[in-house]
Amino acid sequence: AQTVTQSQPEMSVQEAETVTLSCTYDTSESDYYLFWYKQPPSRQMILVIRQEAYKQQNATENRFSVNFQKAAKSFSLKISDSQLGDAAMYFCAYRSAKNYGGSQGNLIFGKGTKLSVKP
Amino acid sequence: GAVVSQHPSRVICKSGTSVKIECRSLDFQATTMFWYRQFPKQSLMLMATSNEGSKATYEQGVEKDKFLINHASLTLSTLTVTSAHPEDSSFYICSARNRRGGYEQYFGPGTRLTVT
């Protein structure tokens, strides 16, 4: 079974600085997707960034970028120029790309990292 | 991006009563919907997965007779918590997936259930 591990329960960053959130996963599959979701105090889950395992190039979305190391099964999220609005819980998630009777696998979430941004 | 709505956002019910939570995909057809439960300061726990017109598939440990899921149309899924007890108090989140959208998964804003 696949697992996702986020080893940092809490992180803190100064506004305008850069922070990296760690995520490792375990799978025997070669084709899958990895995601970072943000859950602010409103509890609404927001997709931050997505990475296809077959792509070597690291995904980037504005101030958010990932460091995807497939061999090491590592998928860290870097937030540059941190803003107060970045304060939230961040969840790393894995999803198999296998086709299960017409639909792909379920999301498997890590336990989350609570990010605080200091003004 | 696609929008998923949930109603109600908050509900308080008395122990022993049933409560229904609705989940709607507003601008796409959701071939698959998911229901999650989230305890304070914890991750999302998948309760069940449902495909339109089919019976829901429940995760191990989730009582299907207590948490009734109906995915009657491509835009609506409902979760009914039957004979609710205080331990059912939690934050429930639905999510929907659109096959045409490359299997992207969108989340509703959640429903906070409090059973007194």
Side-chain angles (χ1 to χ4, degrees):
Chain A
Q2 297 86 12
T3 58
V4 177
T5 302
Q6 293 179 251
S7 58
Q8 306 153 316
E10 295 188 23
M11 289 283 284
S12 180
V13 63
Q14 202 72 33
E15 194 176 5
E17 298 292 307
T18 296
V19 65
T20 298
L21 308 184
S22 301
C23 173
T24 58
Y25 58 95
D26 190 26
T27 183
S28 59
E29 298 178 332
S30 59
D31 196 11
Y32 50 87
Y33 303 98
L34 295 166
F35 306 84
W36 277 98
Y37 283 91
K38 170 185 177 181
Q39 188 180 41
S42 67
R43 307 291 291 270
Q44 171 74 60
M45 293 287 283
I46 301 166
L47 177 64
V48 175
I49 201 164
R50 155 185 166 150
Q51 174 82 42
E52 289 91 342
Y54 65 85
K55 290 186 177 179
Q56 292 187 338
Q57 187 172 4
N58 290 322
T60 299
E61 286 289 341
N62 300 315
R63 298 183 293 108
F64 299 87
S65 62
V66 297
N67 184 359
F68 173 47
Q69 302 289 327
K70 191 172 184 179
K73 297 179 182 174
S74 171
F75 182 62
S76 61
L77 174 70
K78 185 172 83 171
I79 306 174
S80 304
D81 185 25
S82 296
Q83 300 175 0
L84 295 177
D86 295 334
M89 282 290 289
Y90 286 82
F91 293 99
C92 178
Y94 168 102
R95 193 176 84 213
S96 172
K98 271 188 179 178
N99 193 313
Y100 295 93
S103 66
Q104 293 181 332
N106 300 323
L107 284 169
I108 299 170
F109 288 96
K111 291 188 175 182
T113 296
K114 182 178 180 180
L115 177 67
S116 302
V117 181
K118 297 177 181 177
Chain B
V3 178
V4 175
S5 70
Q6 265 183 260
H7 179 78
S9 58
R10 292 173 181 253
V11 58
I12 301 173
C13 71
K14 292 187 176 180
S15 186
T17 62
S18 296
V19 61
K20 181 185 286 188
I21 303 170
E22 289 189 351
C23 175
R24 295 181 184 272
S25 56
L26 298 185
D27 50 4
F28 68 99
Q29 293 184 328
T31 50
T32 305
M33 284 187 167
F34 307 84
W35 285 95
Y36 297 86
R37 185 173 180 176
Q38 187 178 32
F39 291 104
K41 299 183 179 180
Q42 293 190 23
S43 188
L44 281 69
M45 180 189 79
L46 181 65
M47 298 175 66
T49 303
S50 69
N51 293 301
E52 187 264 340
S54 303
K55 287 186 178 180
T57 301
Y58 290 82
E59 295 298 300
Q60 193 172 10
V62 178
E63 298 176 61
K64 61 180 181 181
D65 294 330
K66 180 168 189 62
F67 299 99
L68 301 178
I69 292 171
N70 187 312
H71 190 167
S73 77
L74 283 171
T75 60
L76 173 65
S77 177
T78 59
L79 166 67
T80 302
V81 183
T82 63
S83 186
H85 291 287
E87 56 265 32
D88 299 325
S89 298
S90 190
F91 193 71
Y92 293 87
I93 303 174
C94 78
S95 181
R97 182 182 289 169
N98 177 4
R99 183 184 299 160
R100 288 187 181 178
Y103 297 95
E104 200 64 73
Q105 191 166 330
Y106 304 95
F107 288 83
T111 296
R112 179 171 300 285
L113 170 64
T114 303
V115 184
T116 61

